[in-house]
Amino acid sequence: MSAHGAADGIRDTGTHDTSTAVPGAAGRRTSAPAPAAASGSAFASAARRPVVQRASVRGQILDALRAALVGGDLAPGEVYSAPALGERFGVSATPVREAMQQLANEGAVEVVPNRGFRVVRRGARELAELAEIRSLVEMPVMLRLTRTVSASCWAELRPLADATVAAACTGDRACYAESDRVFHAAVLALSGNRQLVQLADDLHRRAQWPMAGAPACRSRADLLADATQHTAILDALTAQDVPAAQSLLREHFAGA
C-alpha cells in the first residue's frame, strides 16, 4: 500500500466498534468480532477496495497490521518502527504504536526498546499447542450445541460458512483468516457465553500468526480444504449427528 492509498482509506470517525451481530441460540443476537476491512495484503490491496468508514484510525491500523501479519507482509523476526509504518499508512506514529501495543498483548509482536516492534518467531510446537487448546475449548461447546440448537438457527450460519469457501477460493490468506475467525465466533456465540467467545477468539488470532521459516501464505488448495470442513461441520451440527461432528471437529482443529 502506498502512503497515499493508505491515507485515502483511513478515516477517524469516533468510537471504535469491532463487533457485529450473529445469530443467538434462540433467535437472539449476540456480539461477535466483525471481519476486518482488509481482504488481502494490508499494503497492496487498499487501492482496489472501496473506502470503508471505520470508527478510529487506531482500529483501521490494527486491522491492517493483523492482515499484514497473516499475509506475510510483516515477517517473523523483523523489527518495524512505528514512524516507518506510519509513513507507509500515511498516518502519524501514534495510532501505529497503539495498535502495535495491542498486538504485543496478543503475542504477535514484542517491544524492542528504542527500535520498535519485532514480529515474534514461532515454531510448529507452539502452533500445535494452540490448536490443542482451541480443540479443548471449542469442541465440547459445539458438541453440546448439537443437542440444543435448532436446524433453523444453524441455517442462519450457512452464509458465514459459505463466505469462508469464497474467501479460500481467492487464495487470500488474510481474507480467509478473518472469515474463518468470524464463522467460529458465530458458532460459539450460540452458547450465549460471551467470555467463551472472547477467549476462543483470542486463541484463534494467536493460531493465525505464521511460523518462522514457513511460506507466507498457505496454498489455495489448503485454504479450500479447511473451508469445506466448515460446511461439513455445519451439516453434522444441523443433523444433530454428534459422532460425525466430533470426527470432523477433531480433524479440523488438528489442521488448524
Side-chain angles (χ1 to χ4, degrees):
M1 175 190 288
S2 66
H4 178 72
D8 286 346
I10 295 176
R11 300 290 185 271
D12 190 351
T13 58
T15 304
H16 186 217
D17 181 4
T18 57
S19 65
T20 188
V22 296
R28 299 185 303 276
R29 294 282 166 177
T30 308
S31 287
S39 61
S41 167
F43 307 122
S45 65
R48 65 173 182 268
R49 66 176 185 269
V51 173
V52 177
Q53 295 296 325
R54 303 288 286 179
S56 74
V57 174
R58 175 188 174 277
Q60 292 179 80
I61 296 299
L62 181 57
D63 285 343
L65 289 173
R66 282 171 171 161
L69 282 163
V70 173
D73 289 310
L74 299 180
E78 294 296 318
V79 177
Y80 299 89
S81 72
L85 288 174
E87 188 173 342
R88 290 173 93 170
F89 285 113
V91 299
S92 71
T94 299
V96 176
R97 191 173 290 111
E98 291 173 348
M100 280 293 199
Q101 289 289 351
Q102 175 60 36
L103 290 172
N105 293 337
E106 295 176 5
V109 302
E110 57 188 10
V111 178
V112 181
N114 302 317
R115 292 185 61 196
F117 301 85
R118 178 183 291 112
V119 179
V120 172
R121 289 182 175 272
R122 304 190 317 154
R125 178 174 179 175
E126 182 177 350
L127 292 180
E129 290 172 348
L130 285 167
E132 181 181 10
I133 296 170
R134 285 189 61 207
S135 176
L136 292 171
V137 170
E138 296 190 39
M139 190 184 301
V141 177
M142 291 185 179
L143 294 178
R144 187 180 78 242
L145 292 174
T146 304
R147 304 181 178 90
T148 60
V149 175
S150 68
S152 61
C153 282
W154 290 124
E156 293 185 49
L157 302 190
R158 184 68 60 178
L160 297 181
D162 292 343
T164 67
V165 176
C169 287
T170 68
D172 187 328
R173 192 174 191 273
C175 180
Y176 177 73
E178 197 62 20
S179 63
D180 176 39
R181 188 180 63 81
V182 170
F183 172 76
H184 279 266
V187 172
L188 294 176
L190 294 175
S191 70
N193 188 329
R194 294 185 179 184
Q195 298 301 316
L196 170 70
V197 175
Q198 184 176 349
L199 173 63
D201 188 63
D202 179 66
L203 289 169
H204 202 159
R205 283 196 187 281
R206 291 172 184 267
Q208 289 176 335
W209 310 138
M211 287 192 303
C217 295
R218 296 163 64 188
S219 71
R220 184 175 303 183
D222 290 337
L223 297 180
L224 192 55
D226 192 66
T228 53
Q229 287 178 344
H230 291 150
T231 58
I233 289 168
L234 193 56
D235 288 341
L237 294 173
T238 303
Q240 297 186 318
D241 189 339
V242 175
Q246 185 173 28
S247 177
L248 287 165
L249 286 167
R250 186 176 293 113
E251 180 182 357
H252 187 64
F253 285 115

